[in-house]
mmCIF file of all heavy atoms in Angstrom:
data_model
loop_
_atom_site.group_PDB
_atom_site.id
_atom_site.type_symbol
_atom_site.label_atom_id
_atom_site.label_comp_id
_atom_site.label_asym_id
_atom_site.label_seq_id
_atom_site.Cartn_x
_atom_site.Cartn_y
_atom_site.Cartn_z
ATOM 1 N N ILE A 1 -7.021 -65.660 27.301
ATOM 2 C CA ILE A 1 -7.619 -64.380 27.692
ATOM 3 C C ILE A 1 -7.896 -63.520 26.465
ATOM 4 O O ILE A 1 -9.010 -63.027 26.277
ATOM 5 C CB ILE A 1 -6.693 -63.624 28.676
ATOM 6 C CG1 ILE A 1 -6.592 -64.373 29.998
ATOM 7 C CG2 ILE A 1 -7.186 -62.193 28.899
ATOM 8 C CD1 ILE A 1 -5.516 -63.846 30.920
ATOM 9 N N ILE A 2 -6.887 -63.355 25.621
ATOM 10 C CA ILE A 2 -7.037 -62.497 24.445
ATOM 11 C C ILE A 2 -8.102 -63.069 23.502
ATOM 12 O O ILE A 2 -8.980 -62.339 23.027
ATOM 13 C CB ILE A 2 -5.687 -62.301 23.731
ATOM 14 C CG1 ILE A 2 -4.761 -61.456 24.614
ATOM 15 C CG2 ILE A 2 -5.865 -61.644 22.365
ATOM 16 C CD1 ILE A 2 -3.331 -61.349 24.116
ATOM 17 N N GLY A 3 -8.034 -64.365 23.260
ATOM 18 C CA GLY A 3 -9.027 -64.994 22.379
ATOM 19 C C GLY A 3 -10.432 -64.878 22.929
ATOM 20 O O GLY A 3 -11.388 -64.599 22.189
ATOM 21 N N GLY A 4 -10.588 -65.090 24.229
ATOM 22 C CA GLY A 4 -11.908 -64.964 24.852
ATOM 23 C C GLY A 4 -12.453 -63.561 24.741
ATOM 24 O O GLY A 4 -13.629 -63.353 24.433
ATOM 25 N N LEU A 5 -11.594 -62.578 24.994
ATOM 26 C CA LEU A 5 -12.053 -61.195 24.903
ATOM 27 C C LEU A 5 -12.424 -60.808 23.472
ATOM 28 O O LEU A 5 -13.436 -60.141 23.252
ATOM 29 C CB LEU A 5 -10.984 -60.247 25.452
ATOM 30 C CG LEU A 5 -10.878 -60.215 26.970
ATOM 31 C CD1 LEU A 5 -9.641 -59.448 27.407
ATOM 32 C CD2 LEU A 5 -12.120 -59.602 27.586
ATOM 33 N N ILE A 6 -11.613 -61.222 22.520
ATOM 34 C CA ILE A 6 -11.933 -60.915 21.123
ATOM 35 C C ILE A 6 -13.294 -61.515 20.770
ATOM 36 O O ILE A 6 -14.142 -60.855 20.164
ATOM 37 C CB ILE A 6 -10.829 -61.428 20.173
ATOM 38 C CG1 ILE A 6 -9.553 -60.610 20.358
ATOM 39 C CG2 ILE A 6 -11.291 -61.372 18.709
ATOM 40 C CD1 ILE A 6 -8.338 -61.182 19.643
ATOM 41 N N TYR A 7 -13.510 -62.758 21.171
ATOM 42 C CA TYR A 7 -14.780 -63.428 20.872
ATOM 43 C C TYR A 7 -15.951 -62.669 21.491
ATOM 44 O O TYR A 7 -16.936 -62.365 20.811
ATOM 45 C CB TYR A 7 -14.755 -64.877 21.373
ATOM 46 C CG TYR A 7 -16.093 -65.549 21.247
ATOM 47 C CD1 TYR A 7 -16.539 -66.019 20.010
ATOM 48 C CD2 TYR A 7 -16.931 -65.691 22.339
ATOM 49 C CE1 TYR A 7 -17.783 -66.608 19.870
ATOM 50 C CE2 TYR A 7 -18.173 -66.289 22.222
ATOM 51 C CZ TYR A 7 -18.592 -66.742 20.999
ATOM 52 O OH TYR A 7 -19.828 -67.324 20.869
ATOM 53 N N PHE A 8 -15.865 -62.376 22.787
ATOM 54 C CA PHE A 8 -16.993 -61.739 23.467
ATOM 55 C C PHE A 8 -17.223 -60.306 22.997
ATOM 56 O O PHE A 8 -18.375 -59.867 22.889
ATOM 57 C CB PHE A 8 -16.819 -61.793 24.988
ATOM 58 C CG PHE A 8 -17.104 -63.157 25.558
ATOM 59 C CD1 PHE A 8 -16.103 -63.876 26.171
ATOM 60 C CD2 PHE A 8 -18.360 -63.724 25.463
ATOM 61 C CE1 PHE A 8 -16.345 -65.138 26.696
ATOM 62 C CE2 PHE A 8 -18.632 -64.982 25.977
ATOM 63 C CZ PHE A 8 -17.612 -65.694 26.591
ATOM 64 N N VAL A 9 -16.165 -59.567 22.704
ATOM 65 C CA VAL A 9 -16.331 -58.196 22.212
ATOM 66 C C VAL A 9 -17.007 -58.207 20.835
ATOM 67 O O VAL A 9 -17.927 -57.422 20.585
ATOM 68 C CB VAL A 9 -14.979 -57.441 22.169
ATOM 69 C CG1 VAL A 9 -15.095 -56.131 21.406
ATOM 70 C CG2 VAL A 9 -14.472 -57.180 23.586
ATOM 71 N N THR A 10 -16.571 -59.115 19.960
ATOM 72 C CA THR A 10 -17.215 -59.173 18.630
ATOM 73 C C THR A 10 -18.671 -59.625 18.733
ATOM 74 O O THR A 10 -19.520 -59.120 17.993
ATOM 75 C CB THR A 10 -16.437 -60.092 17.668
ATOM 76 O OG1 THR A 10 -16.308 -61.387 18.249
ATOM 77 C CG2 THR A 10 -15.069 -59.531 17.332
ATOM 78 N N GLN A 11 -18.958 -60.535 19.655
ATOM 79 C CA GLN A 11 -20.345 -60.959 19.848
ATOM 80 C C GLN A 11 -21.202 -59.823 20.412
ATOM 81 O O GLN A 11 -22.370 -59.692 20.059
ATOM 82 C CB GLN A 11 -20.414 -62.187 20.769
ATOM 83 C CG GLN A 11 -19.837 -63.442 20.160
ATOM 84 C CD GLN A 11 -20.513 -63.800 18.851
ATOM 85 O OE1 GLN A 11 -21.731 -63.932 18.767
ATOM 86 N NE2 GLN A 11 -19.724 -63.935 17.794
ATOM 87 N N TRP A 12 -20.615 -59.011 21.277
ATOM 88 C CA TRP A 12 -21.315 -57.856 21.828
ATOM 89 C C TRP A 12 -21.635 -56.856 20.709
ATOM 90 O O TRP A 12 -22.749 -56.330 20.634
ATOM 91 C CB TRP A 12 -20.465 -57.206 22.917
ATOM 92 C CG TRP A 12 -21.113 -56.060 23.625
ATOM 93 C CD1 TRP A 12 -20.808 -54.746 23.481
ATOM 94 C CD2 TRP A 12 -22.164 -56.128 24.594
ATOM 95 N NE1 TRP A 12 -21.599 -53.984 24.305
ATOM 96 C CE2 TRP A 12 -22.445 -54.806 24.998
ATOM 97 C CE3 TRP A 12 -22.888 -57.160 25.155
ATOM 98 C CZ2 TRP A 12 -23.424 -54.506 25.947
ATOM 99 C CZ3 TRP A 12 -23.861 -56.868 26.097
ATOM 100 C CH2 TRP A 12 -24.115 -55.552 26.476
ATOM 101 N N GLY A 13 -20.672 -56.616 19.836
ATOM 102 C CA GLY A 13 -20.906 -55.730 18.698
ATOM 103 C C GLY A 13 -21.975 -56.275 17.766
ATOM 104 O O GLY A 13 -22.842 -55.533 17.303
ATOM 105 N N LYS A 14 -21.912 -57.579 17.502
ATOM 106 C CA LYS A 14 -22.900 -58.225 16.632
ATOM 107 C C LYS A 14 -24.297 -58.132 17.239
ATOM 108 O O LYS A 14 -25.273 -57.872 16.530
ATOM 109 C CB LYS A 14 -22.512 -59.683 16.423
ATOM 110 C CG LYS A 14 -23.433 -60.447 15.519
ATOM 111 C CD LYS A 14 -22.941 -61.877 15.362
ATOM 112 C CE LYS A 14 -23.868 -62.689 14.489
ATOM 113 N NZ LYS A 14 -23.416 -64.095 14.384
ATOM 114 N N ALA A 15 -24.413 -58.322 18.546
ATOM 115 C CA ALA A 15 -25.713 -58.269 19.221
ATOM 116 C C ALA A 15 -26.322 -56.873 19.158
ATOM 117 O O ALA A 15 -27.535 -56.715 19.271
ATOM 118 C CB ALA A 15 -25.567 -58.706 20.672
ATOM 119 N N HIS A 16 -25.485 -55.869 18.961
ATOM 120 C CA HIS A 16 -25.967 -54.497 18.845
ATOM 121 C C HIS A 16 -25.900 -54.003 17.400
ATOM 122 O O HIS A 16 -25.753 -52.804 17.147
ATOM 123 C CB HIS A 16 -25.168 -53.582 19.780
ATOM 124 C CG HIS A 16 -25.471 -53.816 21.223
ATOM 125 N ND1 HIS A 16 -24.796 -54.743 21.979
ATOM 126 C CD2 HIS A 16 -26.414 -53.278 22.031
ATOM 127 C CE1 HIS A 16 -25.292 -54.755 23.198
ATOM 128 N NE2 HIS A 16 -26.278 -53.881 23.261
ATOM 129 N N ASP A 17 -26.006 -54.930 16.464
ATOM 130 C CA ASP A 17 -26.029 -54.622 15.026
ATOM 131 C C ASP A 17 -24.854 -53.768 14.576
ATOM 132 O O ASP A 17 -24.989 -52.926 13.695
ATOM 133 C CB ASP A 17 -27.341 -53.941 14.628
ATOM 134 C CG ASP A 17 -28.539 -54.845 14.813
ATOM 135 O OD1 ASP A 17 -28.396 -56.069 14.583
ATOM 136 O OD2 ASP A 17 -29.612 -54.327 15.204
ATOM 137 N N TYR A 18 -23.720 -53.952 15.229
ATOM 138 C CA TYR A 18 -22.469 -53.269 14.885
ATOM 139 C C TYR A 18 -22.581 -51.744 14.938
ATOM 140 O O TYR A 18 -21.870 -51.033 14.247
ATOM 141 C CB TYR A 18 -21.967 -53.714 13.512
ATOM 142 C CG TYR A 18 -21.763 -55.198 13.415
ATOM 143 C CD1 TYR A 18 -22.601 -55.990 12.637
ATOM 144 C CD2 TYR A 18 -20.734 -55.817 14.113
ATOM 145 C CE1 TYR A 18 -22.416 -57.364 12.557
ATOM 146 C CE2 TYR A 18 -20.551 -57.190 14.039
ATOM 147 C CZ TYR A 18 -21.384 -57.955 13.267
ATOM 148 O OH TYR A 18 -21.197 -59.310 13.193
ATOM 149 N N THR A 19 -23.496 -51.237 15.776
ATOM 150 C CA THR A 19 -23.672 -49.778 15.871
ATOM 151 C C THR A 19 -22.859 -49.166 17.006
ATOM 152 O O THR A 19 -22.897 -47.950 17.198
ATOM 153 C CB THR A 19 -25.156 -49.424 16.089
ATOM 154 O OG1 THR A 19 -25.609 -50.070 17.285
ATOM 155 C CG2 THR A 19 -26.003 -49.844 14.902
ATOM 156 N N LEU A 20 -22.124 -49.984 17.751
ATOM 157 C CA LEU A 20 -21.349 -49.474 18.871
ATOM 158 C C LEU A 20 -20.012 -48.896 18.395
ATOM 159 O O LEU A 20 -19.438 -49.362 17.423
ATOM 160 C CB LEU A 20 -21.086 -50.576 19.896
ATOM 161 C CG LEU A 20 -22.335 -51.181 20.542
ATOM 162 C CD1 LEU A 20 -21.949 -52.346 21.440
ATOM 163 C CD2 LEU A 20 -23.093 -50.122 21.324
ATOM 164 N N SER A 21 -19.528 -47.908 19.115
ATOM 165 C CA SER A 21 -18.250 -47.284 18.772
ATOM 166 C C SER A 21 -17.093 -48.123 19.310
ATOM 167 O O SER A 21 -17.276 -49.034 20.119
ATOM 168 C CB SER A 21 -18.181 -45.878 19.369
ATOM 169 O OG SER A 21 -18.099 -45.963 20.786
ATOM 170 N N PHE A 22 -15.902 -47.784 18.864
ATOM 171 C CA PHE A 22 -14.685 -48.444 19.351
ATOM 172 C C PHE A 22 -14.607 -48.339 20.877
ATOM 173 O O PHE A 22 -14.295 -49.307 21.563
ATOM 174 C CB PHE A 22 -13.456 -47.799 18.700
ATOM 175 C CG PHE A 22 -12.156 -48.380 19.153
ATOM 176 C CD1 PHE A 22 -11.607 -49.472 18.503
ATOM 177 C CD2 PHE A 22 -11.482 -47.850 20.245
ATOM 178 C CE1 PHE A 22 -10.402 -50.023 18.918
ATOM 179 C CE2 PHE A 22 -10.275 -48.395 20.668
ATOM 180 C CZ PHE A 22 -9.735 -49.484 20.004
ATOM 181 N N GLY A 23 -14.901 -47.152 21.410
ATOM 182 C CA GLY A 23 -14.847 -46.926 22.856
ATOM 183 C C GLY A 23 -15.827 -47.788 23.619
ATOM 184 O O GLY A 23 -15.502 -48.319 24.683
ATOM 185 N N ASN A 24 -17.047 -47.926 23.091
ATOM 186 C CA ASN A 24 -18.040 -48.782 23.745
ATOM 187 C C ASN A 24 -17.599 -50.243 23.751
ATOM 188 O O ASN A 24 -17.773 -50.939 24.753
ATOM 189 C CB ASN A 24 -19.396 -48.683 23.042
ATOM 190 C CG ASN A 24 -20.036 -47.330 23.166
ATOM 191 O OD1 ASN A 24 -20.413 -46.726 22.169
ATOM 192 N ND2 ASN A 24 -20.169 -46.827 24.382
ATOM 193 N N LEU A 25 -17.035 -50.696 22.646
ATOM 194 C CA LEU A 25 -16.580 -52.080 22.546
ATOM 195 C C LEU A 25 -15.389 -52.325 23.476
ATOM 196 O O LEU A 25 -15.321 -53.349 24.164
ATOM 197 C CB LEU A 25 -16.220 -52.416 21.100
ATOM 198 C CG LEU A 25 -17.393 -52.400 20.121
ATOM 199 C CD1 LEU A 25 -16.885 -52.414 18.686
ATOM 200 C CD2 LEU A 25 -18.323 -53.571 20.387
ATOM 201 N N PHE A 26 -14.447 -51.373 23.506
ATOM 202 C CA PHE A 26 -13.298 -51.508 24.393
ATOM 203 C C PHE A 26 -13.753 -51.524 25.851
ATOM 204 O O PHE A 26 -13.253 -52.317 26.662
ATOM 205 C CB PHE A 26 -12.291 -50.372 24.178
ATOM 206 C CG PHE A 26 -11.160 -50.408 25.160
ATOM 207 C CD1 PHE A 26 -10.119 -51.311 25.002
ATOM 208 C CD2 PHE A 26 -11.153 -49.558 26.250
ATOM 209 C CE1 PHE A 26 -9.082 -51.358 25.921
ATOM 210 C CE2 PHE A 26 -10.120 -49.599 27.176
ATOM 211 C CZ PHE A 26 -9.082 -50.504 27.005
ATOM 212 N N ALA A 27 -14.684 -50.653 26.202
ATOM 213 C CA ALA A 27 -15.179 -50.588 27.581
ATOM 214 C C ALA A 27 -15.804 -51.922 27.994
ATOM 215 O O ALA A 27 -15.594 -52.394 29.119
ATOM 216 C CB ALA A 27 -16.195 -49.461 27.729
ATOM 217 N N TYR A 28 -16.557 -52.541 27.106
ATOM 218 C CA TYR A 28 -17.150 -53.855 27.388
ATOM 219 C C TYR A 28 -16.048 -54.874 27.689
ATOM 220 O O TYR A 28 -16.118 -55.601 28.677
ATOM 221 C CB TYR A 28 -17.993 -54.316 26.194
ATOM 222 C CG TYR A 28 -18.471 -55.735 26.307
ATOM 223 C CD1 TYR A 28 -19.633 -56.044 27.003
ATOM 224 C CD2 TYR A 28 -17.762 -56.780 25.721
ATOM 225 C CE1 TYR A 28 -20.068 -57.350 27.109
ATOM 226 C CE2 TYR A 28 -18.194 -58.085 25.828
ATOM 227 C CZ TYR A 28 -19.344 -58.364 26.511
ATOM 228 O OH TYR A 28 -19.775 -59.663 26.631
ATOM 229 N N GLY A 29 -15.024 -54.911 26.851
ATOM 230 C CA GLY A 29 -13.928 -55.850 27.059
ATOM 231 C C GLY A 29 -13.157 -55.569 28.331
ATOM 232 O O GLY A 29 -12.774 -56.487 29.063
ATOM 233 N N PHE A 30 -12.956 -54.298 28.643
ATOM 234 C CA PHE A 30 -12.181 -53.958 29.836
ATOM 235 C C PHE A 30 -12.983 -54.231 31.107
ATOM 236 O O PHE A 30 -12.413 -54.625 32.129
ATOM 237 C CB PHE A 30 -11.706 -52.510 29.779
ATOM 238 C CG PHE A 30 -10.510 -52.277 30.645
ATOM 239 C CD1 PHE A 30 -9.272 -52.774 30.288
ATOM 240 C CD2 PHE A 30 -10.626 -51.569 31.829
ATOM 241 C CE1 PHE A 30 -8.155 -52.576 31.095
ATOM 242 C CE2 PHE A 30 -9.526 -51.368 32.638
ATOM 243 C CZ PHE A 30 -8.287 -51.875 32.272
ATOM 244 N N LYS A 31 -14.300 -54.041 31.056
ATOM 245 C CA LYS A 31 -15.134 -54.403 32.209
ATOM 246 C C LYS A 31 -15.088 -55.914 32.431
ATOM 247 O O LYS A 31 -15.049 -56.372 33.573
ATOM 248 C CB LYS A 31 -16.578 -53.947 31.991
ATOM 249 C CG LYS A 31 -16.775 -52.454 32.062
ATOM 250 C CD LYS A 31 -18.219 -52.114 31.736
ATOM 251 C CE LYS A 31 -18.416 -50.656 31.446
ATOM 252 N NZ LYS A 31 -19.797 -50.375 31.006
ATOM 253 N N SER A 32 -15.100 -56.676 31.350
ATOM 254 C CA SER A 32 -14.961 -58.133 31.459
ATOM 255 C C SER A 32 -13.615 -58.486 32.086
ATOM 256 O O SER A 32 -13.511 -59.397 32.912
ATOM 257 C CB SER A 32 -15.071 -58.795 30.083
ATOM 258 O OG SER A 32 -16.312 -58.516 29.487
ATOM 259 N N THR A 33 -12.578 -57.748 31.696
ATOM 260 C CA THR A 33 -11.236 -57.949 32.254
ATOM 261 C C THR A 33 -11.242 -57.731 33.765
ATOM 262 O O THR A 33 -10.637 -58.496 34.510
ATOM 263 C CB THR A 33 -10.231 -56.991 31.589
ATOM 264 O OG1 THR A 33 -10.171 -57.288 30.194
ATOM 265 C CG2 THR A 33 -8.858 -57.108 32.201
ATOM 266 N N ALA A 34 -11.922 -56.689 34.217
ATOM 267 C CA ALA A 34 -11.986 -56.413 35.652
ATOM 268 C C ALA A 34 -12.638 -57.585 36.388
ATOM 269 O O ALA A 34 -12.165 -57.994 37.457
ATOM 270 C CB ALA A 34 -12.754 -55.123 35.902
ATOM 271 N N VAL A 35 -13.686 -58.142 35.821
ATOM 272 C CA VAL A 35 -14.388 -59.263 36.460
ATOM 273 C C VAL A 35 -13.477 -60.472 36.571
ATOM 274 O O VAL A 35 -13.313 -61.045 37.655
ATOM 275 C CB VAL A 35 -15.686 -59.611 35.689
ATOM 276 C CG1 VAL A 35 -16.304 -60.898 36.208
ATOM 277 C CG2 VAL A 35 -16.681 -58.466 35.762
ATOM 278 N N PHE A 36 -12.852 -60.890 35.457
ATOM 279 C CA PHE A 36 -12.046 -62.106 35.554
ATOM 280 C C PHE A 36 -10.752 -61.884 36.331
ATOM 281 O O PHE A 36 -10.217 -62.817 36.922
ATOM 282 C CB PHE A 36 -11.812 -62.782 34.202
ATOM 283 C CG PHE A 36 -10.863 -62.123 33.251
ATOM 284 C CD1 PHE A 36 -9.500 -62.120 33.453
ATOM 285 C CD2 PHE A 36 -11.350 -61.538 32.085
ATOM 286 C CE1 PHE A 36 -8.632 -61.533 32.549
ATOM 287 C CE2 PHE A 36 -10.493 -60.962 31.177
ATOM 288 C CZ PHE A 36 -9.123 -60.956 31.419
ATOM 289 N N THR A 37 -10.255 -60.663 36.387
ATOM 290 C CA THR A 37 -9.061 -60.377 37.187
ATOM 291 C C THR A 37 -9.363 -60.550 38.675
ATOM 292 O O THR A 37 -8.607 -61.198 39.399
ATOM 293 C CB THR A 37 -8.541 -58.957 36.903
ATOM 294 O OG1 THR A 37 -8.181 -58.862 35.526
ATOM 295 C CG2 THR A 37 -7.340 -58.621 37.771
ATOM 296 N N ILE A 38 -10.464 -59.990 39.128
ATOM 297 C CA ILE A 38 -10.840 -60.110 40.545
ATOM 298 C C ILE A 38 -11.063 -61.572 40.913
ATOM 299 O O ILE A 38 -10.565 -62.041 41.946
ATOM 300 C CB ILE A 38 -12.096 -59.259 40.835
ATOM 301 C CG1 ILE A 38 -11.759 -57.776 40.733
ATOM 302 C CG2 ILE A 38 -12.678 -59.600 42.212
ATOM 303 C CD1 ILE A 38 -12.955 -56.856 40.721
ATOM 304 N N ILE A 39 -11.770 -62.297 40.075
ATOM 305 C CA ILE A 39 -12.041 -63.706 40.370
ATOM 306 C C ILE A 39 -10.745 -64.508 40.375
ATOM 307 O O ILE A 39 -10.546 -65.372 41.244
ATOM 308 C CB ILE A 39 -13.056 -64.279 39.366
ATOM 309 C CG1 ILE A 39 -14.419 -63.629 39.599
ATOM 310 C CG2 ILE A 39 -13.156 -65.796 39.490
ATOM 311 C CD1 ILE A 39 -15.434 -63.910 38.553
ATOM 312 N N ASN A 40 -9.858 -64.239 39.456
ATOM 313 C CA ASN A 40 -8.593 -64.970 39.392
ATOM 314 C C ASN A 40 -7.729 -64.690 40.628
ATOM 315 O O ASN A 40 -7.090 -65.599 41.160
ATOM 316 C CB ASN A 40 -7.843 -64.625 38.111
ATOM 317 C CG ASN A 40 -6.864 -65.698 37.716
ATOM 318 O OD1 ASN A 40 -7.024 -66.866 38.067
ATOM 319 N ND2 ASN A 40 -5.845 -65.320 36.985
ATOM 320 N N ILE A 41 -7.705 -63.460 41.096
ATOM 321 C CA ILE A 41 -6.931 -63.128 42.300
ATOM 322 C C ILE A 41 -7.514 -63.851 43.514
ATOM 323 O O ILE A 41 -6.773 -64.440 44.303
ATOM 324 C CB ILE A 41 -6.883 -61.598 42.508
ATOM 325 C CG1 ILE A 41 -5.983 -60.960 41.447
ATOM 326 C CG2 ILE A 41 -6.389 -61.256 43.924
ATOM 327 C CD1 ILE A 41 -6.022 -59.450 41.421
ATOM 328 N N VAL A 42 -8.824 -63.832 43.655
ATOM 329 C CA VAL A 42 -9.465 -64.543 44.772
ATOM 330 C C VAL A 42 -9.157 -66.040 44.684
ATOM 331 O O VAL A 42 -8.827 -66.680 45.694
ATOM 332 C CB VAL A 42 -10.987 -64.277 44.783
ATOM 333 C CG1 VAL A 42 -11.705 -65.194 45.772
ATOM 334 C CG2 VAL A 42 -11.261 -62.819 45.113
ATOM 335 N N PHE A 43 -9.238 -66.598 43.486
ATOM 336 C CA PHE A 43 -8.914 -68.024 43.317
ATOM 337 C C PHE A 43 -7.487 -68.320 43.745
ATOM 338 O O PHE A 43 -7.237 -69.296 44.458
ATOM 339 C CB PHE A 43 -9.115 -68.457 41.853
ATOM 340 C CG PHE A 43 -8.408 -69.733 41.520
ATOM 341 C CD1 PHE A 43 -8.875 -70.944 41.990
ATOM 342 C CD2 PHE A 43 -7.241 -69.722 40.757
ATOM 343 C CE1 PHE A 43 -8.210 -72.130 41.701
ATOM 344 C CE2 PHE A 43 -6.569 -70.886 40.474
ATOM 345 C CZ PHE A 43 -7.052 -72.097 40.946
ATOM 346 N N LEU A 44 -6.528 -67.506 43.313
ATOM 347 C CA LEU A 44 -5.127 -67.753 43.653
ATOM 348 C C LEU A 44 -4.882 -67.662 45.159
ATOM 349 O O LEU A 44 -4.126 -68.459 45.723
ATOM 350 C CB LEU A 44 -4.210 -66.795 42.894
ATOM 351 C CG LEU A 44 -4.068 -67.069 41.402
ATOM 352 C CD1 LEU A 44 -3.290 -65.959 40.723
ATOM 353 C CD2 LEU A 44 -3.418 -68.413 41.161
ATOM 354 N N ILE A 45 -5.520 -66.708 45.818
ATOM 355 C CA ILE A 45 -5.370 -66.584 47.273
ATOM 356 C C ILE A 45 -5.903 -67.850 47.953
ATOM 357 O O ILE A 45 -5.226 -68.444 48.801
ATOM 358 C CB ILE A 45 -6.086 -65.323 47.795
ATOM 359 C CG1 ILE A 45 -5.359 -64.065 47.319
ATOM 360 C CG2 ILE A 45 -6.198 -65.347 49.327
ATOM 361 C CD1 ILE A 45 -6.118 -62.776 47.556
ATOM 362 N N ILE A 46 -7.092 -68.251 47.574
ATOM 363 C CA ILE A 46 -7.685 -69.461 48.162
ATOM 364 C C ILE A 46 -6.833 -70.678 47.836
ATOM 365 O O ILE A 46 -6.572 -71.522 48.702
ATOM 366 C CB ILE A 46 -9.139 -69.644 47.676
ATOM 367 C CG1 ILE A 46 -10.016 -68.528 48.248
ATOM 368 C CG2 ILE A 46 -9.678 -71.016 48.073
ATOM 369 C CD1 ILE A 46 -11.405 -68.448 47.649
#
């Protein structure tokens, strides 16, 4: 999880020419966290 988020957050920053703030980068990672958390909970229930 941590490695995946670090990878995707850095790629998101790179795609925006590193002009994003810390808050924007954190928000991207946390939104990704919300997505995989919901999917993981649904998977475990099923």
Side-chain angles (χ1 to χ4, degrees):
I1 293 169
I2 291 172
L5 284 170
I6 291 170
Y7 173 78
F8 284 116
V9 169
T10 56
Q11 292 303 306
W12 184 253
K14 181 179 178 182
H16 290 88
D17 295 324
Y18 303 110
T19 58
L20 298 175
S21 69
F22 179 88
N24 294 127
L25 294 166
F26 175 78
Y28 171 85
F30 203 72
K31 289 176 194 174
S32 300
T33 298
V35 171
F36 73 72
T37 299
I38 291 168
I39 292 170
N40 203 25
I41 289 171
V42 170
F43 162 73
L44 288 173
I45 291 169
I46 293 169

